[in-house]
Each structure stands twice: as structure tokens, then as C-alpha cells.
Amino acid sequence: NNKTLSSSENNPSVIFLEVGMVDLDNDISEEEILRNYGQIIDLIQSNRPNAVIFIESIYPINKDIDTYDDNVLNKQITNDRIRSINISLKELSKEKGVRYLDVYSSISNRGALNHSFTDNGVYLNQNGYMELFNVINKIVG
């Protein structure tokens, strides 16, 4: 089928970026993560100049819950490291003229992923995604 998509389907008005946890898991440096974000933002801005871009903070983790699985993530990943990168992402957002969305604070409790938002300490469960949806909806809804 050669159906032509409308311009609105090809040109989103709002774009959310949350990439970084996989990079951290693969031992990618903070500098490279930021460089990658910068390149992604530049590409979006050149191809979709009217889109509003949000950089979401990298989500916290919680290694203290009973169901945490040490095999899910690189053991070097800590919330301190995630917070450090999030600070840099906030600065990058200002430099690039995009919006920064601090979801870390909304889904954390005492600096770690709220236990009710995860089943394994890393990935969000249904409650976590609902909270994330509510936070995003307040901003763009």
C-alpha cells in the first residue's frame, strides 16, 4: 500500500527523549552520552524545526528492594552517577534551547526509584508509567 502520510503524522509537534540508561549499562562515558544527546537534538531541530523537544531526566534505580536483580544492570550504575548526568542534561537543554523534564524527582523517594513504581528496581511497572504519564500530562496536557 502506497498510502501517503499526512504532514502531521510525519512532523510531530512534541518529542520526548529519554535515552541513557542503556548507554550507562554499556559503560558509555558521561561525555559520550551528552555528545550523543547533542547530536540527536541537532538532527531533530534540523529536520523538525517546529517541534518542542523535551529531554527527560534518566530515571532513578532502587537496589534496596527485595526483588532487585543484580544481573539487570551494570553494577557501576548508581543514583549518584545518574543524578550527575541529569545535571549535565539540564545544562545541555539550556544550551540547545530545548526543555528539560525532571521526572527523576517525581518517581523517586529519598533519591531512589520509588519501590511502588518498580518490580525489579530498574524498570517502571504500571504504577510507575502511570505516574510518568501524569507528570508529562501536567506539562503538555
Side-chain angles (χ1 to χ4, degrees):
N1 188 341
N2 283 336
K3 177 185 170 195
T4 303
L5 297 175
S6 72
S7 62
S8 64
E9 290 177 86
N10 287 323
N11 195 3
S13 60
V14 179
I15 298 170
F16 292 88
L17 292 177
E18 196 282 315
V19 294
M21 187 62 80
V22 172
D23 286 343
L24 283 172
D25 197 33
N26 289 320
D27 280 332
I28 304 296
S29 70
E30 180 174 336
E31 294 77 22
E32 190 170 350
I33 291 170
L34 293 171
R35 191 168 40 253
N36 291 341
Y37 262 98
Q39 290 173 348
I40 292 168
I41 292 166
D42 290 345
L43 284 169
I44 293 170
Q45 288 176 327
S46 67
N47 288 292
R48 302 291 182 253
N50 296 322
V52 177
I53 301 170
F54 288 88
I55 293 180
E56 289 184 47
S57 59
I58 298 174
Y59 306 160
I61 60 173
N62 190 335
K63 294 182 179 183
D64 294 329
I65 66 170
D66 294 337
T67 54
Y68 182 76
D69 182 354
D70 277 340
N71 297 314
V72 174
L73 278 182
N74 180 320
K75 292 174 180 35
Q76 303 304 314
I77 299 174
T78 64
N79 282 317
D80 286 341
R81 188 165 178 215
I82 292 170
R83 280 190 296 270
S84 173
I85 294 172
N86 285 341
I87 289 168
S88 296
L89 288 174
K90 187 175 184 178
E91 292 170 7
L92 179 67
S93 297
K94 289 178 187 174
E95 290 171 22
K96 295 289 186 180
V98 301
R99 296 184 60 185
Y100 178 76
L101 181 57
D102 177 16
V103 295
Y104 185 105
S105 298
S106 300
I107 60 174
S108 68
N109 182 24
R110 297 183 182 156
L113 180 57
N114 186 319
H115 73 280
S116 65
F117 295 154
T118 184
D119 295 328
N120 66 1
V122 177
Y123 300 113
L124 297 179
N125 61 18
Q126 185 175 355
N127 291 334
Y129 279 112
M130 286 305 298
E131 180 64 21
L132 186 63
F133 173 78
N134 289 334
V135 169
I136 292 171
N137 197 40
K138 286 178 188 173
I139 293 169
V140 298

